Amino acid sequence: MTQFKFKTDIAPSQITPESIYEKRREFMITSGVLGTALLLNPWTSARASVAISDYKPNVVNTGEALTSEKDATTYNNFYEFGTGKTDPLQNAQNLNTDDWKITVSGECDKPGEYALEDLVKPFDIEERIYRLRCVEAWSMVIPWLGVPMASILKSLQPTSKAKYVAFKTLLDPEQMPGQKRSVLQWPYEEGLRIDEAMNPLTLFAVGMYGKTMPNQNGAPVRLVVPWKYGFKSIKSIVSIEFTEEQPQTSWNISGPNEYGFYSNVNPEVNHPRWSQKKERRIGEIFKQKTRMFNGYETEVAHLYKDMNLKTYF
Amino acid sequence: MADVLKSTAAKPLVFMLCLAPMLLLVWNALYGDLGANPVETITHETGEWGLRFLLITLAISPLRQWFGLAVLMRFRRMLGLTVFFYACCHFMIWLIADHSLNFTDMVEDIIDRPFIALGFSSLVLLIPLAITSNQASVRRLGRHWKKLHQLTYWVTLLVILHFIWLVKADYLEAGIYAVVAFSLLLQRLPLRKWIFTKASV
Protein backbone atom coordinates (compact mmCIF):
# COMPACT_ATOMS: atom_id res chain seq x y z
CA MET A 1 0.00 0.00 0.00
CA THR A 2 1.33 3.40 -0.93
CA GLN A 3 1.61 5.93 1.82
CA PHE A 4 1.77 9.63 1.20
CA LYS A 5 4.39 11.42 3.15
CA PHE A 6 3.68 14.90 4.39
CA LYS A 7 6.34 17.44 5.11
CA THR A 8 5.86 18.49 8.69
CA ASP A 9 7.72 21.72 9.01
CA ILE A 10 4.82 23.37 10.88
CA ALA A 11 5.72 24.33 14.43
CA PRO A 12 3.29 23.05 17.13
CA SER A 13 2.56 26.69 18.08
CA GLN A 14 1.19 27.32 14.62
CA ILE A 15 -1.42 24.62 14.95
CA THR A 16 -4.82 25.85 16.07
CA PRO A 17 -6.08 24.07 19.21
CA GLU A 18 -9.00 21.81 18.45
CA SER A 19 -11.49 23.73 20.61
CA ILE A 20 -10.91 26.96 18.68
CA TYR A 21 -10.88 25.06 15.43
CA GLU A 22 -14.30 23.62 16.25
CA LYS A 23 -15.66 27.04 17.15
CA ARG A 24 -14.36 28.48 13.92
CA ARG A 25 -16.10 25.73 12.02
CA GLU A 26 -19.31 26.41 13.91
CA PHE A 27 -19.03 30.12 13.09
CA MET A 28 -18.47 29.38 9.44
CA ILE A 29 -21.49 27.11 9.31
CA THR A 30 -23.76 29.66 10.99
CA SER A 31 -22.56 32.56 8.90
CA GLY A 32 -22.81 30.39 5.81
CA VAL A 33 -26.41 29.49 6.58
CA LEU A 34 -27.26 33.08 7.45
CA GLY A 35 -25.50 34.39 4.39
CA THR A 36 -27.29 31.94 2.14
CA ALA A 37 -30.61 32.80 3.74
CA LEU A 38 -29.98 36.48 3.09
CA LEU A 39 -28.86 35.77 -0.45
CA LEU A 40 -31.86 33.60 -1.20
CA ASN A 41 -34.23 35.98 0.49
CA PRO A 42 -32.93 39.51 -0.02
CA TRP A 43 -36.45 40.92 -0.08
CA THR A 44 -37.41 40.13 3.49
CA SER A 45 -36.81 42.86 6.02
CA ALA A 46 -34.49 42.12 8.91
CA ARG A 47 -36.15 44.24 11.57
CA ALA A 48 -39.65 43.63 12.78
CA SER A 49 -41.89 46.00 14.63
CA VAL A 50 -45.00 43.89 14.72
CA ALA A 51 -44.21 40.25 15.32
CA ILE A 52 -46.74 38.16 13.47
CA SER A 53 -47.14 34.88 15.28
CA ASP A 54 -50.67 34.00 14.41
CA TYR A 55 -53.30 35.18 11.97
CA LYS A 56 -56.68 34.19 10.58
CA PRO A 57 -55.88 32.88 7.11
CA ASN A 58 -57.80 33.64 3.93
CA VAL A 59 -60.48 35.94 5.42
CA VAL A 60 -60.99 37.59 2.01
CA ASN A 61 -59.85 36.04 -1.26
CA THR A 62 -60.12 36.99 -4.93
CA GLY A 63 -59.76 33.44 -6.21
CA GLU A 64 -57.04 34.64 -8.59
CA ALA A 65 -53.45 33.45 -8.74
CA LEU A 66 -51.18 35.31 -6.34
CA THR A 67 -48.43 37.54 -7.67
CA SER A 68 -45.10 35.95 -6.79
CA GLU A 69 -43.65 37.21 -3.53
CA LYS A 70 -40.47 38.07 -5.39
CA ASP A 71 -42.26 40.32 -7.88
CA ALA A 72 -44.35 42.00 -5.17
CA THR A 73 -41.25 42.76 -3.11
CA THR A 74 -38.87 43.83 -5.89
CA TYR A 75 -41.12 46.04 -8.03
CA ASN A 76 -42.27 48.93 -5.84
CA ASN A 77 -43.34 52.54 -6.06
CA PHE A 78 -42.06 54.10 -2.86
CA TYR A 79 -40.56 57.44 -3.86
CA GLU A 80 -39.11 57.99 -0.36
CA PHE A 81 -36.48 55.45 -1.42
CA GLY A 82 -36.05 56.52 -5.05
CA THR A 83 -38.21 56.75 -8.15
CA GLY A 84 -37.00 53.56 -9.88
CA LYS A 85 -39.01 50.37 -9.36
CA THR A 86 -36.11 48.51 -7.74
CA ASP A 87 -34.80 51.51 -5.76
CA PRO A 88 -36.97 50.77 -2.67
CA LEU A 89 -35.54 47.24 -2.42
CA GLN A 90 -32.02 48.63 -2.55
CA ASN A 91 -32.46 51.72 -0.39
CA ALA A 92 -35.08 50.74 2.20
CA GLN A 93 -33.05 48.15 4.07
CA ASN A 94 -31.74 50.65 6.64
CA LEU A 95 -35.16 51.88 7.67
CA ASN A 96 -35.45 51.33 11.41
CA THR A 97 -38.95 50.16 12.26
CA ASP A 98 -38.22 49.32 15.92
CA ASP A 99 -40.37 51.09 18.53
CA TRP A 100 -42.51 52.64 15.81
CA LYS A 101 -44.78 55.40 17.09
CA ILE A 102 -47.95 56.79 15.57
CA THR A 103 -49.31 60.20 16.52
CA VAL A 104 -53.09 60.34 16.69
CA SER A 105 -54.62 63.81 16.62
CA GLY A 106 -57.63 65.89 15.63
CA GLU A 107 -61.31 65.17 16.09
CA CYS A 108 -61.18 62.14 18.42
CA ASP A 109 -61.45 61.36 22.12
CA LYS A 110 -58.19 59.45 22.34
CA PRO A 111 -55.43 61.55 20.82
CA GLY A 112 -51.81 60.89 21.72
CA GLU A 113 -48.70 59.04 20.73
CA TYR A 114 -49.17 55.29 20.41
CA ALA A 115 -46.74 52.46 19.99
CA LEU A 116 -47.78 50.63 16.83
CA GLU A 117 -47.94 47.36 18.74
CA ASP A 118 -50.40 48.79 21.26
CA LEU A 119 -52.70 49.96 18.46
CA VAL A 120 -52.72 46.58 16.77
CA LYS A 121 -52.53 44.20 19.77
CA PRO A 122 -56.24 44.23 20.80
CA PHE A 123 -57.29 42.85 17.40
CA ASP A 124 -56.86 39.65 15.41
CA ILE A 125 -54.57 39.87 12.43
CA GLU A 126 -56.33 38.70 9.28
CA GLU A 127 -54.99 37.53 5.96
CA ARG A 128 -56.78 39.28 3.10
CA ILE A 129 -55.99 38.62 -0.51
CA TYR A 130 -56.70 41.74 -2.54
CA ARG A 131 -56.10 42.98 -6.06
CA LEU A 132 -53.79 45.99 -6.12
CA ARG A 133 -54.24 48.30 -9.11
CA CYS A 134 -51.54 50.91 -9.71
CA VAL A 135 -52.45 54.11 -11.57
CA GLU A 136 -49.62 53.16 -13.97
CA ALA A 137 -51.87 50.43 -15.39
CA TRP A 138 -50.27 47.41 -13.77
CA SER A 139 -51.74 45.21 -11.05
CA MET A 140 -50.92 42.48 -8.57
CA VAL A 141 -52.76 40.05 -6.27
CA ILE A 142 -51.29 40.24 -2.78
CA PRO A 143 -52.00 38.34 0.46
CA TRP A 144 -51.86 41.11 3.06
CA LEU A 145 -51.84 40.67 6.83
CA GLY A 146 -53.50 43.33 8.90
CA VAL A 147 -56.32 44.62 11.04
CA PRO A 148 -59.48 46.20 9.63
CA MET A 149 -58.91 49.97 9.70
CA ALA A 150 -62.38 50.42 11.18
CA SER A 151 -61.35 48.55 14.36
CA ILE A 152 -58.32 50.77 14.86
CA LEU A 153 -60.22 53.99 14.14
CA LYS A 154 -63.15 53.08 16.41
CA SER A 155 -60.72 52.40 19.24
CA LEU A 156 -59.53 56.01 18.88
CA GLN A 157 -63.12 57.23 19.27
CA PRO A 158 -63.58 59.81 16.53
CA THR A 159 -66.01 62.64 17.34
CA SER A 160 -68.99 63.60 15.21
CA LYS A 161 -66.84 66.29 13.58
CA ALA A 162 -64.46 63.70 12.14
CA LYS A 163 -65.42 63.69 8.46
CA TYR A 164 -62.03 62.67 7.06
CA VAL A 165 -58.91 60.80 8.14
CA ALA A 166 -55.50 62.15 7.11
CA PHE A 167 -52.34 60.03 7.13
CA LYS A 168 -48.67 60.95 6.95
CA THR A 169 -45.55 58.93 6.14
CA LEU A 170 -42.36 59.23 8.17
CA LEU A 171 -40.25 62.29 7.28
CA ASP A 172 -36.57 61.42 7.73
CA PRO A 173 -34.27 62.09 4.76
CA GLU A 174 -31.43 60.24 6.50
CA GLN A 175 -33.40 57.00 6.51
CA MET A 176 -35.41 57.82 3.40
CA PRO A 177 -32.83 59.15 0.93
CA GLY A 178 -35.49 59.82 -1.71
CA GLN A 179 -36.72 62.71 0.45
CA LYS A 180 -33.46 64.58 -0.22
CA ARG A 181 -34.88 65.49 -3.62
CA SER A 182 -38.14 67.40 -3.87
CA VAL A 183 -39.75 65.01 -6.34
CA LEU A 184 -42.95 65.22 -4.26
CA GLN A 185 -43.87 67.38 -1.30
CA TRP A 186 -42.60 65.57 1.81
CA PRO A 187 -43.82 64.05 4.03
CA TYR A 188 -46.15 62.02 1.84
CA GLU A 189 -49.76 62.69 2.80
CA GLU A 190 -52.92 60.78 2.01
CA GLY A 191 -56.49 60.90 3.16
CA LEU A 192 -59.84 59.15 3.05
CA ARG A 193 -63.37 60.14 3.82
CA ILE A 194 -64.25 58.60 7.20
CA ASP A 195 -66.80 56.21 5.66
CA GLU A 196 -64.15 55.03 3.18
CA ALA A 197 -61.66 54.54 6.00
CA MET A 198 -64.29 52.61 7.99
CA ASN A 199 -65.30 50.39 5.06
CA PRO A 200 -64.68 46.74 5.99
CA LEU A 201 -62.25 46.36 3.05
CA THR A 202 -59.86 49.07 4.26
CA LEU A 203 -56.91 47.41 5.94
CA PHE A 204 -54.23 48.59 8.37
CA ALA A 205 -51.59 46.21 7.05
CA VAL A 206 -48.55 45.04 8.98
CA GLY A 207 -47.45 42.14 6.80
CA MET A 208 -47.74 40.21 3.55
CA TYR A 209 -47.11 36.64 2.35
CA GLY A 210 -47.37 35.41 5.94
CA LYS A 211 -44.50 37.62 7.11
CA THR A 212 -43.79 41.00 8.64
CA MET A 213 -44.13 43.87 6.14
CA PRO A 214 -40.89 44.24 4.14
CA ASN A 215 -39.39 47.74 4.34
CA GLN A 216 -39.77 48.36 0.62
CA ASN A 217 -43.51 47.60 0.81
CA GLY A 218 -44.23 50.14 3.53
CA ALA A 219 -42.99 48.74 6.84
CA PRO A 220 -43.99 48.63 9.56
CA VAL A 221 -47.54 49.66 8.75
CA ARG A 222 -49.37 50.82 5.65
CA LEU A 223 -52.86 51.34 4.40
CA VAL A 224 -54.46 49.02 1.84
CA VAL A 225 -57.50 50.45 0.05
CA PRO A 226 -58.07 47.91 -2.72
CA TRP A 227 -60.69 49.81 -4.76
CA LYS A 228 -58.44 52.86 -5.17
CA TYR A 229 -55.23 53.36 -7.16
CA GLY A 230 -52.18 52.15 -5.25
CA PHE A 231 -50.83 55.57 -4.30
CA LYS A 232 -53.80 56.05 -1.92
CA SER A 233 -52.47 53.13 0.17
CA ILE A 234 -49.94 55.23 2.09
CA LYS A 235 -46.85 53.49 3.51
CA SER A 236 -44.80 53.72 6.74
CA ILE A 237 -47.51 55.66 8.57
CA VAL A 238 -46.51 57.88 11.53
CA SER A 239 -49.58 60.10 11.82
CA ILE A 240 -53.34 59.62 11.84
CA GLU A 241 -55.42 62.78 12.08
CA PHE A 242 -59.22 63.06 12.17
CA THR A 243 -60.30 66.22 10.33
CA GLU A 244 -63.45 68.09 9.49
CA GLU A 245 -62.11 69.37 6.16
CA GLN A 246 -60.88 67.27 3.25
CA PRO A 247 -57.12 66.85 3.76
CA GLN A 248 -54.59 67.54 1.03
CA THR A 249 -52.87 64.60 -0.62
CA SER A 250 -49.35 64.44 -2.10
CA TRP A 251 -50.10 63.33 -5.66
CA ASN A 252 -53.02 65.74 -5.88
CA ILE A 253 -50.65 68.60 -5.00
CA SER A 254 -48.19 67.33 -7.64
CA GLY A 255 -50.76 66.90 -10.43
CA PRO A 256 -54.22 68.23 -9.50
CA ASN A 257 -55.84 67.36 -12.82
CA GLU A 258 -54.33 63.87 -12.91
CA TYR A 259 -54.70 62.56 -9.36
CA GLY A 260 -57.95 63.37 -7.60
CA PHE A 261 -58.71 63.04 -3.89
CA TYR A 262 -60.89 60.00 -4.54
CA SER A 263 -58.78 58.20 -7.14
CA ASN A 264 -61.13 55.25 -7.30
CA VAL A 265 -60.15 52.66 -9.89
CA ASN A 266 -62.38 53.61 -12.81
CA PRO A 267 -61.87 52.40 -16.39
CA GLU A 268 -64.20 55.17 -17.62
CA VAL A 269 -62.13 58.08 -16.34
CA ASN A 270 -59.38 58.82 -18.81
CA HIS A 271 -55.90 59.66 -17.58
CA PRO A 272 -53.42 61.72 -19.66
CA ARG A 273 -50.61 59.19 -19.12
CA TRP A 274 -52.19 55.77 -18.98
CA SER A 275 -55.39 54.38 -20.42
CA GLN A 276 -57.23 53.10 -17.36
CA LYS A 277 -59.38 50.71 -19.41
CA LYS A 278 -56.81 47.93 -19.21
CA GLU A 279 -54.06 46.76 -16.91
CA ARG A 280 -51.11 44.44 -17.04
CA ARG A 281 -51.18 41.83 -14.28
CA ILE A 282 -47.56 41.48 -13.16
CA GLY A 283 -46.31 38.15 -14.51
CA GLU A 284 -48.32 38.44 -17.72
CA ILE A 285 -47.50 39.93 -21.12
CA PHE A 286 -50.88 41.08 -22.44
CA LYS A 287 -53.27 43.43 -20.72
CA GLN A 288 -56.67 42.59 -19.28
CA LYS A 289 -59.74 44.75 -18.73
CA THR A 290 -59.82 46.91 -15.63
CA ARG A 291 -62.97 46.57 -13.54
CA MET A 292 -64.95 49.36 -11.92
CA PHE A 293 -63.69 49.93 -8.35
CA ASN A 294 -61.07 47.29 -9.15
CA GLY A 295 -63.78 44.62 -8.92
CA TYR A 296 -65.03 45.71 -5.49
CA GLU A 297 -68.20 47.37 -6.78
CA THR A 298 -70.56 45.39 -4.50
CA GLU A 299 -68.60 46.37 -1.43
CA VAL A 300 -68.05 50.07 -2.12
CA ALA A 301 -70.32 51.45 -4.86
CA HIS A 302 -72.84 52.64 -2.22
CA LEU A 303 -70.22 55.06 -0.86
CA TYR A 304 -70.41 57.08 -4.06
CA LYS A 305 -74.15 56.96 -4.75
CA ASP A 306 -75.34 60.21 -6.43
CA MET A 307 -71.76 61.35 -7.00
CA ASN A 308 -70.46 62.19 -10.45
CA LEU A 309 -67.31 60.10 -10.52
CA LYS A 310 -65.95 62.02 -13.50
CA THR A 311 -65.98 65.23 -11.44
CA TYR A 312 -64.88 63.54 -8.22
CA PHE A 313 -62.17 61.42 -9.84
CA MET B 1 -7.18 56.39 -33.37
CA ALA B 2 -8.12 57.79 -36.76
CA ASP B 3 -6.37 54.78 -38.37
CA VAL B 4 -8.52 52.36 -36.43
CA LEU B 5 -11.63 54.22 -37.47
CA LYS B 6 -10.53 54.15 -41.11
CA SER B 7 -9.84 50.41 -41.15
CA THR B 8 -12.20 47.98 -42.87
CA ALA B 9 -12.88 46.27 -39.53
CA ALA B 10 -14.31 49.46 -38.03
CA LYS B 11 -17.72 49.27 -39.65
CA PRO B 12 -18.61 45.71 -38.57
CA LEU B 13 -17.35 46.61 -35.12
CA VAL B 14 -19.54 49.70 -34.85
CA PHE B 15 -22.43 47.63 -36.23
CA MET B 16 -21.99 45.12 -33.39
CA LEU B 17 -21.87 47.96 -30.86
CA CYS B 18 -25.13 49.33 -32.26
CA LEU B 19 -26.80 45.95 -31.84
CA ALA B 20 -25.26 45.17 -28.45
CA PRO B 21 -28.04 46.74 -26.30
CA MET B 22 -30.63 44.71 -28.24
CA LEU B 23 -28.65 41.49 -27.90
CA LEU B 24 -28.32 42.14 -24.18
CA LEU B 25 -32.09 42.64 -23.89
CA VAL B 26 -32.78 39.40 -25.76
CA TRP B 27 -30.25 37.57 -23.58
CA ASN B 28 -31.85 38.92 -20.40
CA ALA B 29 -35.32 38.08 -21.72
CA LEU B 30 -34.27 34.47 -22.34
CA TYR B 31 -32.86 34.18 -18.84
CA GLY B 32 -35.84 35.88 -17.17
CA ASP B 33 -33.73 38.78 -16.01
CA LEU B 34 -35.90 41.72 -17.03
CA GLY B 35 -37.51 42.28 -13.63
CA ALA B 36 -41.12 41.94 -12.54
CA ASN B 37 -42.48 43.84 -15.56
CA PRO B 38 -40.47 42.71 -18.61
CA VAL B 39 -42.73 44.52 -21.10
CA GLU B 40 -42.10 47.82 -19.32
CA THR B 41 -38.35 47.13 -19.19
CA ILE B 42 -38.21 46.39 -22.94
CA THR B 43 -40.34 49.45 -23.73
CA HIS B 44 -38.14 51.75 -21.66
CA GLU B 45 -34.84 50.25 -22.84
CA THR B 46 -35.63 50.33 -26.58
CA GLY B 47 -36.95 53.90 -26.28
CA GLU B 48 -33.94 55.10 -24.34
CA TRP B 49 -31.44 53.42 -26.67
CA GLY B 50 -33.20 54.97 -29.66
CA LEU B 51 -32.77 58.39 -28.03
CA ARG B 52 -29.13 57.71 -27.12
CA PHE B 53 -28.28 56.72 -30.71
CA LEU B 54 -30.17 59.77 -31.97
CA LEU B 55 -27.95 62.00 -29.82
CA ILE B 56 -24.81 60.13 -30.94
CA THR B 57 -25.87 60.64 -34.58
CA LEU B 58 -26.40 64.34 -33.93
CA ALA B 59 -22.94 64.57 -32.35
CA ILE B 60 -21.15 63.36 -35.50
CA SER B 61 -21.03 66.60 -37.44
CA PRO B 62 -20.03 68.82 -34.48
CA LEU B 63 -17.24 66.33 -33.71
CA ARG B 64 -16.11 66.64 -37.31
CA GLN B 65 -16.24 70.44 -37.28
CA TRP B 66 -14.70 71.00 -33.88
CA PHE B 67 -12.16 68.21 -33.70
CA GLY B 68 -11.57 67.50 -37.38
CA LEU B 69 -12.86 63.94 -37.03
CA ALA B 70 -14.10 63.69 -40.62
CA VAL B 71 -13.63 59.92 -40.46
CA LEU B 72 -16.71 59.64 -38.21
CA MET B 73 -18.93 60.49 -41.19
CA ARG B 74 -18.48 56.88 -42.34
CA PHE B 75 -20.68 55.71 -39.48
CA ARG B 76 -23.45 58.28 -39.57
CA ARG B 77 -25.82 56.31 -41.82
CA MET B 78 -25.44 53.17 -39.71
CA LEU B 79 -26.05 55.13 -36.51
CA GLY B 80 -29.12 56.81 -38.00
CA LEU B 81 -30.56 53.46 -39.05
CA THR B 82 -29.89 52.15 -35.55
CA VAL B 83 -32.14 54.94 -34.23
CA PHE B 84 -34.86 53.77 -36.61
CA PHE B 85 -34.34 50.15 -35.54
CA TYR B 86 -34.80 50.91 -31.83
CA ALA B 87 -37.75 53.22 -32.56
CA CYS B 88 -39.44 50.37 -34.47
CA CYS B 89 -38.83 47.90 -31.63
CA HIS B 90 -40.17 50.47 -29.16
CA PHE B 91 -43.31 50.90 -31.29
CA MET B 92 -43.83 47.18 -31.88
CA ILE B 93 -43.67 46.22 -28.21
CA TRP B 94 -46.29 48.91 -27.49
CA LEU B 95 -48.48 47.76 -30.36
CA ILE B 96 -48.23 44.07 -29.49
CA ALA B 97 -48.06 43.93 -25.68
CA ASP B 98 -50.03 47.05 -24.76
CA HIS B 99 -52.65 46.89 -27.51
CA SER B 100 -52.59 43.23 -28.61
CA LEU B 101 -52.33 44.53 -32.23
CA ASN B 102 -55.76 46.13 -31.88
CA PHE B 103 -55.77 49.03 -34.34
CA THR B 104 -58.73 50.89 -32.77
CA ASP B 105 -57.14 50.77 -29.32
CA MET B 106 -53.90 52.03 -30.75
CA VAL B 107 -55.50 55.01 -32.49
CA GLU B 108 -57.47 55.83 -29.35
CA ASP B 109 -54.27 55.83 -27.31
CA ILE B 110 -52.60 58.21 -29.81
CA ILE B 111 -55.59 60.59 -29.69
CA ASP B 112 -56.02 60.51 -25.91
CA ARG B 113 -52.40 60.85 -24.88
CA PRO B 114 -50.29 63.69 -26.29
CA PHE B 115 -47.02 62.02 -25.30
CA ILE B 116 -47.95 58.98 -27.39
CA ALA B 117 -48.92 61.23 -30.31
CA LEU B 118 -45.47 62.83 -30.08
CA GLY B 119 -43.68 59.48 -30.01
CA PHE B 120 -45.76 58.19 -32.90
CA SER B 121 -45.07 61.34 -34.97
CA SER B 122 -41.33 60.92 -34.41
CA LEU B 123 -41.49 57.39 -35.76
CA VAL B 124 -43.50 58.52 -38.80
CA LEU B 125 -40.94 61.25 -39.54
CA LEU B 126 -38.12 58.74 -39.30
CA ILE B 127 -39.60 56.55 -42.05
CA PRO B 128 -38.69 58.79 -45.07
CA LEU B 129 -35.25 59.30 -43.57
CA ALA B 130 -34.65 55.56 -43.31
CA ILE B 131 -35.94 55.00 -46.86
CA THR B 132 -33.68 57.67 -48.36
CA SER B 133 -30.60 56.74 -46.37
CA ASN B 134 -28.95 54.83 -49.26
CA GLN B 135 -26.29 56.25 -51.58
CA ALA B 136 -28.61 56.20 -54.59
CA SER B 137 -31.13 58.48 -52.82
CA VAL B 138 -28.38 60.86 -51.79
CA ARG B 139 -27.41 61.20 -55.46
CA ARG B 140 -30.95 61.38 -56.82
CA LEU B 141 -32.18 63.95 -54.27
CA GLY B 142 -29.08 66.14 -54.53
CA ARG B 143 -29.37 69.27 -52.40
CA HIS B 144 -32.90 68.27 -51.32
CA TRP B 145 -31.44 65.31 -49.47
CA LYS B 146 -29.80 67.52 -46.86
CA LYS B 147 -33.00 69.52 -46.39
CA LEU B 148 -35.02 66.33 -45.95
CA HIS B 149 -32.59 64.87 -43.44
CA GLN B 150 -32.70 68.02 -41.36
CA LEU B 151 -36.03 66.55 -40.19
CA THR B 152 -33.79 64.80 -37.66
CA TYR B 153 -33.78 68.05 -35.66
CA TRP B 154 -37.56 68.02 -35.44
CA VAL B 155 -37.54 64.35 -34.52
CA THR B 156 -35.15 65.19 -31.67
CA LEU B 157 -37.47 67.88 -30.35
CA LEU B 158 -40.50 65.57 -30.55
CA VAL B 159 -38.67 62.70 -28.85
CA ILE B 160 -37.49 64.92 -25.99
CA LEU B 161 -41.03 66.23 -25.46
CA HIS B 162 -42.34 62.64 -25.66
CA PHE B 163 -39.97 61.71 -22.82
CA ILE B 164 -40.62 64.77 -20.62
CA TRP B 165 -44.38 64.46 -20.99
CA LEU B 166 -44.52 60.88 -19.78
CA VAL B 167 -42.59 61.60 -16.57
CA LYS B 168 -44.77 61.46 -13.45
CA ALA B 169 -42.65 63.50 -11.08
CA ASP B 170 -38.91 62.84 -11.38
CA TYR B 171 -37.63 64.96 -14.26
CA LEU B 172 -33.92 64.41 -13.63
CA GLU B 173 -33.21 61.79 -16.29
CA ALA B 174 -35.37 63.34 -19.01
CA GLY B 175 -33.86 66.72 -18.10
CA ILE B 176 -30.30 65.48 -18.69
CA TYR B 177 -31.26 64.15 -22.13
CA ALA B 178 -33.00 67.46 -22.90
CA VAL B 179 -29.88 69.49 -22.02
CA VAL B 180 -27.66 67.30 -24.23
CA ALA B 181 -30.17 67.42 -27.09
CA PHE B 182 -30.64 71.20 -26.94
CA SER B 183 -26.88 71.77 -26.81
CA LEU B 184 -26.43 69.65 -29.92
CA LEU B 185 -29.23 71.53 -31.70
CA LEU B 186 -28.21 75.02 -30.52
CA GLN B 187 -24.63 74.69 -31.70
CA ARG B 188 -26.04 74.17 -35.19
CA LEU B 189 -27.62 77.60 -35.26
CA PRO B 190 -25.36 80.07 -37.09
CA LEU B 191 -24.60 81.86 -33.82
CA ARG B 192 -21.05 82.87 -34.73
CA LYS B 193 -22.16 84.40 -38.00
CA TRP B 194 -24.99 86.14 -36.20
CA ILE B 195 -22.72 87.60 -33.51
CA PHE B 196 -20.18 88.79 -36.09
CA THR B 197 -22.81 90.54 -38.25
CA LYS B 198 -24.16 92.21 -35.13
CA ALA B 199 -20.67 93.34 -34.13
CA SER B 200 -19.87 94.74 -37.57
CA VAL B 201 -23.12 96.78 -37.57
Side-chain angles (χ1 to χ4, degrees):
Chain A
M1 219 168 103
T2 328
Q3 280 212 333
F4 292 104
K5 276 187 182 171
F6 291 98
K7 273 191 185 173
T8 53
D9 50 1
I10 306 166
S13 61
Q14 283 180 282
I15 298 169
T16 314
E18 198 177 298
S19 60
I20 294 181
Y21 171 74
E22 288 294 343
K23 266 190 190 151
R24 197 159 63 192
R25 167 174 285 184
E26 198 177 300
F27 168 73
M28 282 167 74
I29 291 170
T30 353
S31 56
V33 168
L34 266 175
T36 321
L38 284 172
L39 273 176
L40 288 175
N41 227 355
W43 49 87
T44 51
S45 68
R47 269 183 283 254
S49 177
V50 178
I52 297 166
S53 48
D54 200 18
Y55 58 85
K56 287 200 264 178
N58 225 356
V59 176
V60 179
N61 199 339
T62 72
E64 290 154 288
L66 294 185
T67 300
S68 80
E69 185 183 352
K70 190 183 175 199
D71 284 349
T73 52
T74 57
Y75 186 81
N76 306 106
N77 274 332
F78 197 172
Y79 278 19
E80 280 79 348
F81 296 106
T83 54
K85 291 285 185 290
T86 53
D87 290 349
L89 171 71
Q90 284 168 17
N91 302 329
Q93 301 313 319
N94 291 327
L95 176 70
N96 183 2
T97 55
D98 292 341
D99 306 316
W100 194 268
K101 300 277 193 295
I102 294 180
T103 308
V104 176
S105 60
E107 304 294 342
C108 68
D109 290 337
K110 297 223 167 153
E113 194 182 65
Y114 291 83
L116 171 60
E117 263 192 346
D118 296 338
L119 275 181
V120 174
K121 221 185 316 177
F123 310 103
D124 286 338
I125 290 179
E126 301 179 1
E127 180 186 54
R128 291 167 169 236
I129 300 168
Y130 287 155
R131 286 178 287 273
L132 172 83
R133 170 63 157 79
C134 179
V135 72
E136 295 166 351
W138 53 264
S139 61
M140 295 184 178
V141 179
I142 299 177
W144 301 105
L145 298 176
V147 172
M149 195 70 217
S151 311
I152 306 277
L153 295 182
K154 277 177 202 156
S155 74
L156 301 170
Q157 300 177 7
T159 67
S160 59
K161 279 184 177 172
K163 301 279 191 290
Y164 296 89
V165 193
F167 302 91
K168 281 191 179 78
T169 296
L170 174 70
L171 175 66
D172 184 350
E174 288 313 307
Q175 289 196 72
M176 298 182 145
Q179 291 175 336
K180 288 177 184 168
R181 293 179 51 218
S182 50
V183 173
L184 287 173
Q185 185 179 297
W186 311 116
Y188 193 88
E189 299 173 289
E190 257 309 335
L192 296 171
R193 226 169 51 194
I194 192 117
D195 57 342
E196 296 178 319
M198 294 280 199
N199 184 277
L201 281 179
T202 308
L203 196 67
F204 196 59
V206 293
M208 58 198 276
Y209 294 90
K211 299 170 195 161
T212 303
M213 190 68 76
N215 287 353
Q216 65 272 26
N217 291 81
V221 66
R222 63 172 290 169
L223 210 59
V224 178
V225 197
W227 70 95
K228 291 174 181 283
Y229 294 120
F231 65 87
K232 292 293 290 181
S233 295
I234 185 170
K235 305 183 178 88
S236 306
I237 299 169
V238 292
S239 161
I240 299 174
E241 185 186 0
F242 295 92
T243 65
E244 203 173 357
E245 303 296 323
Q246 181 177 304
Q248 54 175 6
T249 61
S250 289
W251 277 105
N252 183 252
I253 296 169
S254 167
N257 45 17
E258 291 183 39
Y259 312 99
F261 175 79
Y262 288 94
S263 288
N264 292 317
V265 175
N266 188 340
E268 297 311 315
V269 173
N270 214 352
H271 190 281
R273 288 164 207 281
W274 311 275
S275 164
Q276 301 299 16
K277 287 184 187 157
K278 288 184 289 180
E279 67 198 49
R280 176 170 295 116
R281 184 61 54 84
I282 293 301
E284 290 171 18
I285 302 281
F286 298 106
K287 291 191 168 184
Q288 60 189 60
K289 281 208 165 105
T290 289
R291 293 151 72 188
M292 187 64 197
F293 296 118
N294 201 22
Y296 297 101
E297 204 164 0
T298 350
E299 291 90 339
V300 301
H302 65 93
L303 295 170
Y304 310 102
K305 199 170 53 185
D306 306 325
M307 266 174 82
N308 182 344
L309 294 176
K310 291 202 165 138
T311 319
Y312 296 98
F313 59 93
Chain B
M1 177 70 181
D3 285 343
V4 180
L5 292 171
K6 272 178 203 156
S7 72
T8 42
K11 269 201 179 175
L13 199 74
V14 173
F15 181 67
M16 284 316 291
L17 285 176
C18 290
L19 280 186
M22 195 57 188
L23 295 175
L24 196 67
L25 264 183
V26 172
W27 177 272
N28 284 336
L30 291 175
Y31 288 89
D33 221 5
L34 293 176
N37 194 344
V39 173
E40 185 186 68
T41 308
I42 297 171
T43 309
H44 289 175
E45 287 292 314
T46 50
E48 227 172 297
W49 278 107
L51 173 56
R52 284 178 194 142
F53 279 105
L54 179 60
L55 297 179
I56 293 171
T57 313
L58 278 178
I60 297 283
S61 64
L63 284 173
R64 180 183 63 161
Q65 279 172 354
W66 298 52
F67 303 101
L69 289 167
V71 62
L72 291 178
M73 292 298 279
R74 292 180 69 200
F75 308 106
R76 199 167 63 166
R77 176 186 303 150
M78 193 193 290
L79 289 166
L81 286 171
T82 306
V83 176
F84 186 62
F85 170 70
Y86 284 103
C88 288
C89 295
H90 186 61
F91 169 75
M92 287 309 288
I93 189 83
W94 170 76
L95 182 62
I96 296 170
D98 279 14
H99 293 304
S100 315
L101 291 169
N102 183 324
F103 190 72
T104 333
D105 275 13
M106 184 194 95
V107 173
E108 198 181 82
D109 210 7
I110 294 173
I111 294 169
D112 286 349
R113 268 157 283 280
F115 87 90
I116 291 191
L118 287 167
F120 187 74
S121 318
S122 334
L123 179 73
V124 171
L125 288 181
L126 282 174
I127 295 170
L129 305 190
I131 293 173
T132 61
S133 65
N134 54 342
Q135 205 55 47
S137 299
V138 179
R139 248 178 274 126
R140 201 174 54 236
L141 289 169
R143 62 193 168 84
H144 299 298
W145 189 88
K146 200 176 167 187
K147 247 305 56 29
L148 178 67
H149 280 252
Q150 281 175 347
L151 271 180
T152 314
Y153 307 151
W154 294 103
V155 171
T156 310
L157 284 176
L158 293 177
V159 167
I160 290 291
L161 280 176
H162 167 67
F163 196 172
I164 291 176
W165 213 321
L166 70 86
V167 173
K168 261 169 90 184
D170 187 355
Y171 289 95
L172 181 68
E173 201 186 6
I176 292 170
Y177 282 110
V179 169
V180 175
F182 286 129
S183 314
L184 286 167
L185 292 179
L186 275 176
Q187 70 82 37
R188 285 174 154 79
L189 293 175
L191 282 179
R192 234 181 316 180
K193 213 162 138 193
W194 185 70
I195 291 164
F196 276 119
T197 10
K198 276 252 161 163
S200 60
V201 173

